[in-house]
Amino acid sequence: MNVANLALQQTPPLSVPVRFFITAPLFGILASLLLIYAGPTIFSSRWGTNTLALTHLVTLGFVSMVMFGAILQLLPVVAGTVIPKPILISSIIHLLLTLGSLGLTLGFIMGQELLLQIAIILLGLSFFSFIAIVGYCLIRVKGNIIIGMWLALAALLITAGLGIGLALRFAYGITLPLSMVLANIHLTWGLIGWVGLLIIAIAYQVVPMFQITPQYNSIAMRWLIPIIFATLLLWTIAYLLLNAHNRFYFVGWLSVLISLELAIFGGMTLRLQWQRLRKIPDVTLNFWRVGSVGLLLSVMLWIAGIIWTELAIQPFYPLLLFILFVGGFVLMVIQGMLYKIVPFLVWLHLQNQQLNPLKAVNMIRIPHMKQVISPILAQRQFWLYLIALFCTILALLFPNLIYLAGIALLGSFILLEYNLLKALLLYRSVLISINN
Amino acid sequence: MEATITQVFSKEHSNCDKIFAQAENLVANKQWAEADSEFNKFYTAMEKHFTAEEEFLFSTFEERTGHTMGPTQVMRMEHQQMRQIFAQMQTSLAQQDDEQYLGLSETLLMLMQQHNMKEEQMLYPMIDQALANEIATIFERIRASA
């Protein structure tokens, strides 16, 4: 074994995570275009096919896409392992997820049953193979973040299973019993279980690391994720059993409990960031702070809807909830993470090239992270995204604003893609001068 | 109860983090004289930590387990990567180039933190287990060398 192999061992090839990261903004662009195309009708019903398509462009095409890449990259750091045959396996999973997400959304928009039938298979294969591979890598490791990842994977399994079941209605005309209840369970497990738990587990590692803050409270780190998971399970059982018995208040209060648990995370994160030692301006910090506020606002809105049922039956209520949680929290923190991970990986892989003792290379100065992605452009993208988010929320009151929201969102995803692609082009050009 | 390697060395990481952040804040405010002395404090603390690891901790672990090409080799290599950035940071301080320093410090922070994470979560616990009877002697030798 030589140093070059070891250098490779500590991190998977750059293309493994990056293929997911640069595909995600493309789905963001598609989602923005769909928003502009559908206009105010997108808000007419939660269950409209355009709305379903938009939701899945964001949650599968953007959110899950980045999460897959991030997990594959994080495995060596948190579990000391790289997935076997990283390039082959990540290519397959990436291709399945990309085509599956496209097929599903196109199938929804066009009402094409065949597309949906194919999409179900592709997405199913993508999720199950991802779960199997990551589970295999995690099997011998322990720790709080590992438990978090396991539970997030379990939530993904539940989400994907229910999603496939629900999609049968559109693909084959087979409607499951209690399909509205199951749809709510599907989206709750997807957003809070899979995405939420994973963000919490990753935050335990990255929040103290990016800004040099104190660690999260150790009791919270040990218990919060398992407790949220357990409450989700209880909620699901209660929701299924009590659905017919008009005992919704119990289910409602369980969901309040979940909200409070999420609020603990949001509050802790804001508090830690307040105590940070690193005071210099940082775009990731901006994304994470607004993201934590977005989480707290969505939690408050949810609890308000449980207390004042008149609020919860307003048509804008579920939409605002979704926009705040996904747009205000999930997309915020994910974009914030990309601005740390991508420049660092570009730097690391270039640096590793020069450390290879078996190859004659030119020793040139590797661009540092702020040369890989310009903080000014990253800041601009942050503001553009924030404006898009505000316009989307305002569009609930003034429907015609949806076009402005769509255009701002389109701009922000194009700029995100530009920032990421520019980093990769720089990688390529420096790599050529190293090896030349 | 005697302190473990994990406890003592993790504590050193967080001490270094504090000085690192302080130096970075000073550079951002262009307080060059203070930044210079704070960076040197950081550099010295890091070198002391690396030396304790490389010459006492890792080498004893490698002798006992026979793994010279295992995780300790990766850690040594990352130390080298960090040393390269330290040198560049020193140059940027001498040139009072805050933009360059802050770009390098951002990069160092990521490298250092993921390195610390691997040590704290995997390597140190492994060493604590493998060298359970020798921990006191190792601390003794590190103290004597200082």
Side-chain angles (χ1 to χ4, degrees), chain A residues 335-348:
Chain A
Q335 294 178 90
M337 267 190 317
L338 284 176
Y339 280 122
K340 289 279 185 225
I341 302 178
V342 172
F344 177 65
L345 290 179
V346 165
W347 177 87
L348 183 69

Side-chain angles (χ1 to χ4, degrees), chain B residues 41-57:
Chain B
K41 231 162 94 185
F42 167 70
Y43 178 68
T44 315
M46 288 296 284
E47 269 306 333
K48 193 174 148 233
H49 176 77
F50 286 174
T51 312
E53 285 184 339
E54 289 169 359
E55 288 178 16
F56 301 100
L57 202 56

Side-chain angles (χ1 to χ4, degrees), chain A residues 10-289:
Chain A
Q10 62 177 338
T11 185
L14 184 61
S15 74
V16 169
V18 154
R19 72 185 71 230
F20 292 95
F21 297 160
I22 55 168
T23 310
L26 299 177
F27 276 96
I29 290 170
L30 287 180
S32 318
L33 291 174
L34 179 58
L35 198 61
I36 296 168
Y37 164 77
T41 63
I42 200 84
F43 290 157
S44 56
S45 155
R46 247 180 92 185
W47 310 108
T49 45
N50 278 343
T51 315
L52 287 175
L54 184 71
T55 317
H56 288 88
L57 279 173
V58 174
T59 54
L60 291 176
F62 192 93
V63 177
S64 297
M65 189 69 76
V66 177
M67 289 303 196
F68 274 25
I71 289 183
L72 296 181
Q73 179 58 42
L74 267 175
L75 280 176
V77 180
V78 299
T81 49
V82 176
I83 53 163
K85 299 205 186 307
I87 293 192
L88 177 70
I89 287 183
S90 66
S91 313
I92 294 174
I93 292 178
H94 172 257
L95 195 68
L96 289 169
L97 181 60
T98 305
L99 295 178
S101 306
L102 278 176
L104 187 77
T105 45
L106 274 179
F108 277 140
I109 295 169
M110 296 159 51
Q112 264 283 350
E113 288 177 1
L114 182 65
L115 269 177
L116 289 164
Q117 291 162 6
I118 296 170
I120 292 175
I121 296 170
L122 296 177
L123 287 172
L125 283 174
S126 156
F127 284 131
F128 298 130
S129 52
F130 178 79
I131 293 169
I133 289 287
V134 176
Y136 166 79
C137 291
L138 291 179
I139 213 148
R140 276 167 308 169
V141 243
K142 290 198 185 85
N144 294 329
I145 184 175
I146 305 294
I147 293 171
M149 285 171 91
W150 271 118
L151 295 179
L153 283 183
L156 176 62
L157 192 65
I158 295 172
T159 311
L162 282 171
I164 291 171
L166 289 162
L168 294 178
R169 174 170 150 219
F170 299 94
Y172 296 96
I174 304 170
T175 307
L176 299 182
L178 294 176
S179 65
M180 288 296 163
V181 173
L182 289 181
N184 281 331
I185 294 174
H186 162 74
L187 79 88
T188 306
W189 277 96
L191 294 180
I192 297 174
W194 155 237
V195 180
L197 294 184
L198 193 61
I199 288 177
I200 298 176
I202 293 176
Y204 289 165
Q205 300 287 334
V206 302
V207 168
M209 154 171 174
F210 291 159
Q211 258 70 48
I212 314 191
T213 73
Q215 295 291 327
Y216 280 86
N217 174 294
S218 61
I219 299 168
M221 278 208 317
R222 176 83 187 80
W223 293 108
L224 188 59
I225 291 179
I227 288 175
I228 295 177
F229 189 89
T231 324
L232 273 173
L233 269 183
L234 264 180
W235 170 84
T236 308
I237 297 166
Y239 193 20
L240 282 171
L241 291 182
L242 300 180
N243 182 52
H245 295 89
N246 225 356
R247 291 237 179 88
F248 262 133
Y249 62 91
F250 180 65
V251 182
W253 286 108
L254 274 175
S255 72
V256 169
L257 199 57
I258 298 173
S259 306
L260 292 175
E261 290 156 7
L262 290 173
I264 292 176
F265 167 72
M268 279 196 305
T269 305
L270 280 176
R271 186 160 168 267
L272 289 181
Q273 285 174 336
W274 183 255
Q275 298 172 310
R276 75 193 186 282
L277 292 176
R278 204 173 183 230
K279 300 286 187 192
I280 58 170
D282 181 51
V283 73
T284 301
L285 180 67
N286 294 350
F287 273 114
W288 274 73
R289 289 182 129 177

